Amino acid sequence: MDYFREVNMASICLRILLSLLIGGILGYERGRKNRPAGFRTYILVCLGSTLVMMTNQYVYQQFGTSDPTRMGAQVISGIGFLGAGTIMVTGRQQIKGITTAAGMWTAACCGLAIGTGFYEGAIAGGIIVFAIMEFLEKMDAAIRKHSNIMDVYLEFDGKRMFSQFLTEARNSGFDVTNIEISKNKHIKTGELNVVLTLESQSKRTQEEMLAVIGSIEGVSFIEKL
């Protein structure tokens, strides 16, 4: 096994194939869910990280002057810029792509492990990451579903209606925070679009919270974010 931990033709082929496999598996899961970074992106991230570590190890073995971890450290910090490009804030202040960005960073770490010959860690890590992204999504949704705090997008008939809404929401046992108001320029009546955070002071499901808030006079549209 030590033979495959050195930089030679056999280990190069093995590491490249393994990076294609692990990157492809992780990317397939994201691509199937129509995320910003999918199959090809994850493969390229994992393969690129593998090549960086193989190059670093090669230079260290051949010349004995390079720090064997220096180039890998640059990948760890540099992948953040690529991951940030997958995080989007929608017009309704929804944040999307954080899991994809975290997956890309982890795929890069798997690639670094492969590139340096740490096959066991790369395989185990890749399997665990795939399981987290594929099978823990329902658990994450269940945790959020039973939370008494949620962000909502609301549309109101006007500013006066919104001020009444705040009063009624607080009288109904809600704390209202993180209020962001924008005027809908496409509607002449001055309809307001509002994103805010609701926290129920009593135990309620999120469906019950939406029902109570949606029944307040002046709320023309409500959506959970």
Side-chain angles (χ1 to χ4, degrees), residues 47-212:
L47 177 60
S49 303
T50 299
L51 291 173
V52 165
M53 283 307 293
M54 285 195 297
T55 302
N56 205 156
Q57 185 180 357
Y58 175 82
V59 172
Y60 180 75
Q61 288 182 359
Q62 291 296 315
F63 304 102
T65 56
S66 174
D67 181 352
T69 63
R70 181 175 62 85
M71 294 179 69
Q74 299 304 313
V75 172
I76 292 296
S77 59
I79 197 66
F81 292 97
L82 184 60
T86 69
I87 300 175
M88 300 178 293
V89 181
T90 68
R92 296 180 180 179
Q93 302 304 307
Q94 288 178 286
I95 300 176
K96 295 180 177 293
I98 293 180
T99 302
T100 300
M104 289 180 63
W105 185 83
T106 311
C109 293
C110 288
L112 293 175
I114 295 168
T116 198
F118 185 30
Y119 306 116
E120 300 89 344
I123 294 172
I127 292 173
I128 292 171
V129 172
F130 177 79
I132 289 171
M133 294 194 297
E134 178 68 19
F135 302 113
L136 295 190
E137 184 177 8
K138 292 182 179 179
M139 182 182 292
D140 189 22
I143 293 171
R144 293 175 181 273
K145 183 178 180 180
H146 292 89
S147 172
N148 65 335
I149 302 175
M150 68 175 177
D151 296 325
V152 294
Y153 168 81
L154 298 148
E155 292 181 359
F156 296 90
D157 295 334
K159 292 183 178 178
R160 186 175 181 181
M161 288 295 186
F162 179 62
S163 62
Q164 293 175 355
F165 163 82
L166 289 177
T167 301
E168 293 192 36
R170 286 163 181 156
N171 291 337
S172 299
F174 289 95
D175 293 327
V176 183
T177 57
N178 302 326
I179 301 172
E180 296 185 18
I181 302 175
S182 62
K183 184 176 180 180
N184 193 327
K185 299 179 181 179
H186 302 290
I187 300 178
K188 295 181 180 180
T189 56
E191 180 179 286
L192 292 179
N193 302 332
V194 181
V195 175
L196 50 81
T197 300
L198 291 171
E199 180 175 1
S200 177
Q201 297 173 358
S202 59
K203 188 175 181 180
R204 294 169 170 151
T205 65
Q206 293 197 343
E207 288 76 9
E208 291 172 340
M209 293 172 64
L210 288 173
V212 173

Side-chain angles (χ1 to χ4, degrees), residues 5-62:
R5 300 188 191 278
E6 300 175 356
V7 178
N8 51 60
M9 187 55 66
S11 69
I12 290 172
C13 293
L14 175 61
R15 295 178 193 188
I16 289 177
L17 290 174
L18 193 55
S19 67
L20 293 176
L21 177 63
I22 292 179
I25 291 173
L26 299 180
Y28 169 78
E29 189 278 337
R30 292 285 89 186
R32 188 168 58 84
K33 295 180 179 177
N34 197 31
R35 295 302 189 260
F39 186 69
R40 293 182 301 168
T41 304
Y42 271 74
I43 287 178
L44 290 172
V45 167
C46 194
L47 177 60
S49 303
T50 299
L51 291 173
V52 165
M53 283 307 293
M54 285 195 297
T55 302
N56 205 156
Q57 185 180 357
Y58 175 82
V59 172
Y60 180 75
Q61 288 182 359
Q62 291 296 315

